[in-house]
Amino acid sequence: MEKRGARVGVNGGNFFTTKFDSILGWARKYSMFVYPFVTACCGMEYIAAACSHFDIDRFGAGLTRFSPRQSDVLMVVGTVSHKLAPTLRKIYDQMAEPKWVVAFGTCAVSGGIYDNYSTLQGADKILPVDVYIPGCPPRPETVFEGIMKLQEKIQSQPQEWRWKKS
Amino acid sequence: MEEVIKNILERFGNREIKYKDKDMWTFYPDKEYFFDFVDYIKDYGEFDILLDITAVDYLEWTKEKKDRFEMVYHFLSLKYNIRIRVKYTLKKDEKGLTLTSYYKNANWLEREVYDMYGIVFEGHPDMRRILMYDEFKGFPLRKDYPLKKRQPRIKGLNDD
Ligand code: SF4
């Protein structure tokens, strides 16, 4: 996790690397495989956003994967309880780099109305969250706003690729 | 008044079972009569579904009532399409009466009551927590559990 987002030293050919980074970013941002970690009511809104009426596939995030090994974006959709928190962390650890985390809905952002004994006060207590999507639940338009923000972030960040020398 | 309610009152009226007809018929049998009561409504009233078991923590009740907890049971009769509520009270460390031999689903419902209120049911076959994790200390729905006291499972997690 420490290495995430760190720029690896460039070995000559600066021009080429930059271009290649941007191509890689372009490819990555339009082929996000989403892992929806659905725990509560926000899941309905995720379904609404994902199905044909709103169509999340327009943003290249349509291929939902239900295995953390195959996915790039962990979407924490809904309330995370303390009982579930270790599982969520394990799922994040199982995902292959590069990976991003989206907190979907007020509950995942900050715990929301559940300020009580059972609820984790936001997914960012245990995960490095990249994009926060507010709303209880967020409308699909808000979800797409968040996805576009994530695309911007993916495009602008330095890409890690394993054949690059460090 | 429905026939089945009338029968219950007729049978238990001499034992001074209090009752109320508010939102639904509510009966307050003494703890000693509780099994008799359930026996009767299950066999003769055909209250064949136990809808819910829960409890109320009053912490400080009025002077004349010293008991701390009130158990609440909801029953449904499919035959007469009628719902009733049955209540009895428990002192602080008193054990509850288990309905597992009458209704199978009482098993989990009583475990939930134990999990949230710490009421132990005598004779229950599997008295463990059901919702909270085993490391959890205390009973969260008791009135004396601190409102925002959290017990994270991940060590060192600062969760305020
Ligand atoms: S943010 Fe609202 S809609 Fe979403 S999981 Fe929480 S309570 Fe449910």
Side-chain angles (χ1 to χ4, degrees):
Chain A
M1 209 199 286
E2 292 80 41
K3 271 188 71 186
R4 263 189 81 226
R7 176 143 223 162
V8 190
V10 180
N11 219 5
N14 209 348
F15 170 74
F16 172 74
T17 327
T18 320
K19 279 291 176 223
F20 191 75
D21 259 14
S22 94
I23 288 174
L24 210 54
W26 173 83
R28 278 176 178 167
K29 76 175 177 181
Y30 288 128
S31 67
M32 293 188 279
F33 286 20
V34 179
Y35 178 88
F37 187 83
V38 177
T39 52
C41 18
C42 266
M44 293 298 124
E45 216 62 20
Y46 174 77
I47 293 165
C51 287
S52 50
H53 216 90
F54 289 94
D55 196 8
I56 211 170
D57 212 9
R58 291 179 291 155
F59 303 89
L63 197 57
T64 313
R65 304 274 73 192
F66 291 104
S67 158
R69 306 266 184 211
Q70 302 170 349
S71 48
D72 308 309
V73 179
L74 174 61
M75 266 208 191
V76 186
V77 184
T79 328
V80 184
S81 64
H82 279 300
K83 193 177 183 180
L84 201 60
T87 315
L88 179 58
R89 177 117 115 201
K90 186 180 260 173
I91 284 176
Y92 176 79
D93 289 341
Q94 282 175 342
M95 287 168 66
E97 295 276 357
K99 53 189 174 184
W100 297 273
V101 180
V102 174
F104 185 118
T106 312
C107 282
V109 170
S110 68
I113 54 175
Y114 304 109
D115 191 359
N116 60 14
Y117 65 94
S118 65
T119 308
L120 187 73
Q121 300 300 295
D124 53 1
K125 295 276 180 198
I126 53 170
L127 303 176
V129 177
D130 292 288
V131 174
Y132 297 87
I133 302 177
C136 179
R139 275 199 61 84
E141 290 88 335
T142 327
V143 179
F144 296 148
E145 176 84 27
I147 285 179
M148 288 192 284
K149 284 270 191 296
L150 182 60
Q151 286 177 336
E152 272 169 38
K153 177 165 184 173
I154 293 174
Q155 178 69 76
S156 59
Q157 81 184 37
Q159 307 296 329
E160 292 172 29
W161 29 295
R162 67 189 141 131
W163 61 92
K164 190 150 104 177
K165 285 191 189 131
S166 59
Chain B
M1 194 193 294
E2 294 85 350
E3 193 71 19
V4 53
I5 301 289
K6 222 183 258 174
N7 283 343
I8 295 174
L9 287 180
E10 220 161 74
R11 192 177 156 100
F12 288 95
N14 54 355
R15 286 180 177 176
E16 294 178 0
I17 286 184
K18 281 184 255 153
Y19 61 93
K20 244 190 240 166
D21 182 15
K22 253 169 100 187
D23 51 341
M24 70 169 87
W25 278 92
T26 310
F27 298 91
Y28 302 84
D30 280 351
K31 203 182 159 197
E32 296 88 71
Y33 300 144
F34 182 68
F35 279 137
D36 288 349
F37 189 85
V38 174
D39 234 9
Y40 181 76
I41 61 166
K42 193 181 176 196
D43 289 347
Y44 299 98
E46 308 221 16
F47 285 88
D48 35 18
I49 293 183
L50 173 61
L51 289 173
D52 196 16
I53 302 178
T54 184
V56 187
D57 182 2
Y58 284 97
L59 199 56
E60 289 165 32
W61 233 346
T62 49
K63 284 202 184 70
E64 54 273 15
K65 285 182 179 174
K66 289 276 162 50
D67 299 349
R68 176 167 174 182
F69 296 105
E70 185 171 52
M71 295 295 307
V72 184
Y73 295 78
H74 287 192
F75 297 96
L76 164 69
S77 166
L78 287 179
K79 187 172 172 191
Y80 302 105
N81 186 20
I82 197 170
R83 278 151 221 265
I84 59 168
R85 187 186 292 131
V86 182
K87 293 181 174 182
Y88 66 89
T89 56
L90 290 173
K91 295 195 177 55
K92 186 158 181 257
D93 290 317
E94 203 176 344
K95 288 186 171 166
L97 300 171
T98 179
L99 282 190
T100 39
S101 47
Y102 293 93
Y103 300 92
K104 279 268 156 57
N105 64 330
N107 190 324
W108 279 20
L109 293 172
E110 279 166 7
R111 277 176 68 186
E112 189 186 349
V113 171
Y114 166 70
D115 197 354
M116 294 291 144
Y117 295 93
I119 298 171
V120 175
F121 290 87
E122 195 137 39
H124 189 286
D126 185 23
M127 200 81 264
R128 286 183 294 136
R129 286 185 176 278
I130 189 168
L131 292 171
M132 303 309 293
Y133 32 99
D134 290 335
E135 306 96 300
F136 197 86
K137 293 210 174 56
F139 302 102
L141 289 196
R142 282 194 175 184
K143 287 273 166 26
D144 50 7
Y145 186 88
L147 182 64
K148 292 184 181 178
K149 188 178 172 211
R150 286 183 262 272
Q151 306 181 24
R153 285 176 87 192
I154 297 178
K155 291 219 169 55
L157 181 67
N158 170 33
D159 194 29
D160 293 319

